[in-house]
Amino acid sequence: MGSPLDNLNGQQNWLNSQSKNVPQGPISTCPVNRIWSEEVIDGWGNSDTLNLPGKKWLPISGRRPTSIKQLFDQEDVDVVCPLDKEKGITLEDFKLIKMHMASYISKLAQHVKVRQRVVATAVTYMRRVYTRKSMSEYDPRLVAPTCLYLASKAEESTVQAKLLVFYIRKIYSDEKYRYEIKDILEMEMKILEALNYYLVVYHPYRSLSQLLQDASLNDISMTQLTWGVVNDTYKMDLALVHPPHLIALACIYIASVLREKDTTAWFEELRVDMNVVKNISMEILDFYENHRMIPEERFNAALNKLAFKP
């Protein structure tokens, strides 16, 4: 399936040219009618609840929670473990492997027929694991399907391990992808430990639906475009770095400019930091421009450095 922005050329220049539409100035700290807030914040700094009109309003300040399981800074996500460096894994390899594994999870999910939310949770688990563990010790080709297995249970859409093993063999002829049920079950325990048994994940989808409705942008065209862009954000580390409501707003911002919708006044009323929203938008567009068409051989070259199986 193609990208929602396949027909765009020079996306970063295009977005920069729209900077006049970005509300500037300080974020208000005073109660206003349509400031919205994160009512439920999990330990990773994620929120799944938007307060729209009629609730108690709090300004969004961009502060991170003090919990140990907080959102990461980008430089903490972009760390290649020493064991992986010894095998020649570069930062670019590290990012490519995670991107490839996100696609692997999505492909496998299509065969076992689970919801997109399960895919998003599985990809988030996978990315969280590699903030703590090395790819040399935790083979991505086993971690990816195991995260899908774990996410299917966490999201109450349980998929049997034997079904995953069946479709893995159907999708990949490469022996390096061949794992048995017992391998998935053993890796599940390791992943749970790596995640500190914390399985809650909040996604931008709920925020997105509420925000589109609030902005009167919930027509089919805008809904499909923004949801497609949100899906693509899981090919990046955005979910580890930014709260889901800001990711949702960035996707709406991209779609509104693309569809020539004037959302300037709406964004101003939200009192969010549009510099952050614009930076997230730029990251998304950079992915579309520079990483979407990477050949399979490049992914395989990075994976082969790990050399787990004969």
Side-chain angles (χ1 to χ4, degrees):
M1 182 179 295
S3 149
L5 303 182
D6 273 341
N7 296 324
L8 275 180
N9 293 314
Q11 297 98 330
Q12 292 194 39
N13 291 334
W14 162 77
L15 187 59
N16 279 327
S17 71
Q18 304 300 321
S19 60
K20 62 180 181 294
N21 295 326
V22 181
Q24 302 294 334
I27 304 171
S28 171
T29 56
C30 302
V32 295
N33 289 335
R34 294 185 59 251
I35 292 177
W36 61 281
S37 67
E38 298 157 305
E39 185 176 73
V40 178
I41 303 179
D42 76 341
W44 291 79
N46 295 326
S47 165
D48 198 33
T49 302
L50 280 179
N51 292 335
L52 291 173
K55 302 284 186 177
K56 178 181 179 181
W57 303 111
L58 295 172
I60 295 299
S61 65
R63 291 191 300 270
R64 295 174 184 270
T66 56
S67 167
I68 192 170
K69 298 188 186 75
Q70 61 186 334
L71 287 170
F72 297 92
D73 291 322
Q74 187 65 54
E75 55 266 29
D76 296 325
V77 174
D78 292 339
V79 175
V80 181
C81 291
L83 285 175
D84 295 339
K85 286 183 179 179
E86 289 176 7
K87 292 193 174 183
I89 298 293
T90 64
L91 178 57
E92 182 65 16
D93 292 332
F94 185 51
K95 292 180 177 180
L96 286 176
I97 291 171
K98 290 189 291 183
M99 190 187 307
H100 182 60
M101 290 304 116
S103 297
Y104 176 20
I105 289 171
S106 182
K107 187 183 299 184
L108 193 54
Q110 290 175 16
H111 284 80
V112 299
K113 302 186 187 315
V114 293
R115 299 173 294 147
Q116 172 61 27
R117 185 182 180 91
V118 179
V119 176
T121 297
V123 172
T124 304
Y125 287 169
M126 180 267 294
R127 292 184 179 277
R128 285 180 180 178
V129 165
Y130 289 123
T131 64
R132 294 190 169 101
K133 302 296 181 180
S134 73
M135 291 183 172
S136 299
E137 295 176 299
Y138 286 62
D139 184 357
R141 287 162 287 213
L142 177 57
V143 168
T146 305
C147 284
L148 182 59
Y149 175 65
L150 183 58
S152 74
K153 292 196 286 187
E155 297 290 351
E156 300 181 350
S157 300
T158 305
V159 174
Q160 293 183 335
K162 65 180 180 181
L163 190 62
L164 290 171
V165 169
F166 172 79
Y167 281 113
I168 290 169
R169 293 179 179 273
K170 188 173 181 179
I171 295 170
Y172 291 104
S173 59
D174 190 339
E175 288 293 328
K176 292 177 181 177
Y177 285 85
R178 297 296 178 88
Y179 285 98
E180 305 298 332
I181 295 174
K182 65 178 182 63
D183 298 316
I184 290 179
L185 298 181
E186 289 173 2
M187 180 54 74
E188 180 187 20
M189 294 299 102
K190 293 180 179 179
I191 288 174
L192 281 168
E193 184 178 359
L195 297 175
N196 288 336
Y197 300 92
Y198 185 81
L199 302 179
V200 177
V201 180
Y202 293 108
H203 299 290
Y205 299 110
R206 183 178 178 182
S207 301
L208 182 68
S209 297
Q210 292 177 299
L211 287 165
L212 285 172
Q213 182 176 3
D214 186 62
S216 300
L217 296 173
N218 55 334
D219 57 85
I220 293 177
S221 175
M222 281 292 291
T223 299
Q224 288 181 341
L225 178 57
T226 50
W227 274 68
V229 178
V230 168
N231 289 345
D232 283 340
T233 64
Y234 287 93
K235 298 174 184 176
M236 298 164 269
D237 287 314
L238 292 177
L240 300 188
V241 180
H242 300 288
H245 69 277
L246 292 181
I247 295 173
L249 285 170
C251 295
I252 291 173
Y253 178 58
I254 291 172
S256 65
V257 176
L258 182 62
R259 292 286 189 259
E260 298 182 347
K261 305 280 189 179
D262 186 1
T263 54
T264 305
W266 181 74
F267 273 111
E268 287 176 342
E269 291 177 348
L270 288 179
R271 299 294 197 275
V272 295
D273 188 341
M274 282 304 297
N275 289 318
V276 176
V277 172
K278 182 181 177 183
N279 288 339
I280 298 172
S281 302
M282 295 290 286
E283 288 186 61
I284 295 169
L285 294 176
D286 177 73
F287 165 78
Y288 284 131
E289 189 166 16
N290 298 313
H291 294 94
R292 189 166 44 83
M293 302 301 293
I294 295 174
E296 191 75 13
E297 292 76 15
R298 181 67 184 87
F299 293 119
N300 291 334
L303 278 168
N304 288 339
K305 293 180 181 180
L306 297 172
F308 274 90
K309 286 194 164 189

